[in-house]
Amino acid sequence: MSSPDCSGNLTYLAQHPLFDQIKELREDIVVPEYCYAGGGELQSLNAWFGPHGTVTPLHHDPHHNLFAQVLGRKYIRLYHASISEDLYPHMETMLSNTSQVDLDNIDVKEFPRTEDLEFMDNILEEGDLLYIPPKWWHYVRSLSTSFSVSFWWRTSIVPS
């Protein structure tokens, strides 16, 4: 993750099923009871590990997400699911949950509807949990070397 010999390319272990591969690490993870609310069923448990400056572009996920910051700090920006069209999702099926907008360099001429959208900024510190509802758009940037765990679950209750 960090080396004085590194050319500046960032290594980012993103949305990785690390706990399926290293069973000993899985024993250290306790699934929060929130994930079982509403008859919840855990869908995925993923690791996110990388150095300062790694970015997950603006996107949304189909499941409830409880995002746990284990080590380091992360900046997360959230947009409500109801404004999806104003975030210019890609038209290709494979990327339809990902925005065409680069939040680090917004081109308001190309994406004019993004200019005045409401959003929520969050800084997650070690030990913090952030709930991200299904279909809510989120952008993530590491503010330091960090390790995070995402708990994705599904319920039979559809959020309003």
Side-chain angles (χ1 to χ4, degrees):
M1 289 293 137
S2 178
S3 168
D5 301 329
C6 183
S7 65
N9 294 330
L10 299 178
T11 301
Y12 189 29
L13 184 71
Q15 193 176 327
H16 188 77
L18 181 67
F19 308 109
D20 292 341
Q21 296 173 325
I22 305 174
K23 302 293 184 192
E24 294 82 2
L25 284 178
R26 175 61 180 93
E27 294 169 8
D28 290 335
I29 302 295
V30 176
V31 177
E33 290 191 31
Y34 296 112
C35 298
Y36 302 110
E41 179 182 335
L42 192 66
Q43 298 298 302
S44 184
L45 180 63
N46 290 307
W48 307 79
F49 182 42
H52 173 268
T54 52
V55 169
T56 301
L58 185 61
H59 71 287
H60 67 79
D61 299 309
H63 303 297
H64 296 272
N65 180 1
L66 195 58
F67 193 85
Q69 189 62 28
V70 179
L71 174 75
R73 302 170 68 229
K74 282 193 174 165
Y75 165 79
I76 299 181
R77 177 177 284 188
L78 297 171
Y79 292 90
H80 194 279
S82 66
I83 62 170
S84 287
E85 291 307 312
D86 293 334
L87 292 170
Y88 301 88
H90 284 277
M91 301 316 259
E92 304 89 46
T93 304
M94 188 74 167
L95 292 173
S96 64
N97 74 323
T98 304
S99 175
Q100 297 176 60
V101 179
D102 176 1
L103 288 185
D104 291 319
N105 188 24
I106 298 175
D107 183 341
V108 293
K109 287 184 178 149
E110 186 175 1
F111 307 112
R113 294 190 312 264
T114 61
E115 192 167 24
D116 296 318
L117 294 176
E118 289 188 25
F119 57 85
M120 290 177 267
D121 283 330
N122 305 273
I123 303 282
L124 293 186
E125 307 276 350
E126 293 178 16
D128 287 346
L129 293 174
L130 177 66
Y131 171 66
I132 304 171
K135 306 283 186 174
W136 275 52
W137 291 83
H138 49 287
Y139 162 92
V140 183
R141 173 180 288 281
S142 294
L143 301 176
S144 65
T145 297
S146 68
F147 183 74
S148 312
V149 177
S150 60
F151 301 88
W152 284 358
W153 78 96
R154 190 176 9 187
T155 69
S156 54
I157 299 170
V158 179
S160 55

